[in-house]
Amino acid sequence: MNATLTLLVNLVATWYMVGLIWMVQVVHYAMFDRVGEAEFVRYEQDHNRLITPIVAVPMLIEIASAFSLCVVAPTGIPKSWAYAGFAMVMAIWLSTVFLQVPCHARLSEGFDPATFRTLVVTNWIRTILWTARGLLVGYATWKLLDSLPPPLSSIPH
């Protein structure tokens, strides 16, 4: 895959996750405490089962394309941007594995207000990082597009 296509794949995967994480943070998690204690365990288990395929594939595409950009960045895009973007992806994954997944595991056994608060507060780490990544990758894509020569149709005849 060439570097430009890799950047575009990374842009799409990242912005997919930006939209998803904001919806989860502001809407979905905000309603966890309204489910009701009797129904919560099933709700949380269903959440975990149903959200996994929605997030796993784009997260894998994002991390693979972010790593690829560290190896071969498009011409005109500083490697430092690729490294910063990859570091953000790694921080997101670490937060997911060590903070959010354990919270969901505890919540799948029953609603706990302290665990719920921890989940919501620590998820801001991912929300902020994905938003920052989205801006970085968007800016890199804009810089790349801005550096391209004009199309042939714009050349005067």
Side-chain angles (χ1 to χ4, degrees), residues 23-35 43 116 119-120:
M23 189 282 303
V24 167
Q25 181 68 23
V26 175
V27 177
H28 191 61
Y29 285 172
M31 295 189 298
F32 264 35
D33 63 350
R34 298 181 184 139
V35 173
Y43 181 84
F116 167 67
L119 175 65
V120 172

Side-chain angles (χ1 to χ4, degrees), residues 122-145:
T122 63
N123 197 58
W124 279 110
I125 296 167
R126 298 188 308 172
T127 304
I128 291 165
L129 283 170
W130 256 314
T131 302
R133 265 194 55 70
L135 295 172
L136 175 65
V137 176
Y139 184 69
T141 303
W142 175 73
K143 292 296 282 180
L144 178 68
L145 293 174

Side-chain angles (χ1 to χ4, degrees), residues 65-87:
S65 58
F67 177 78
S68 295
L69 290 170
C70 291
V71 176
V72 182
T75 305
I77 304 301
K79 282 262 191 156
S80 61
W81 294 8
Y83 296 144
F86 186 70

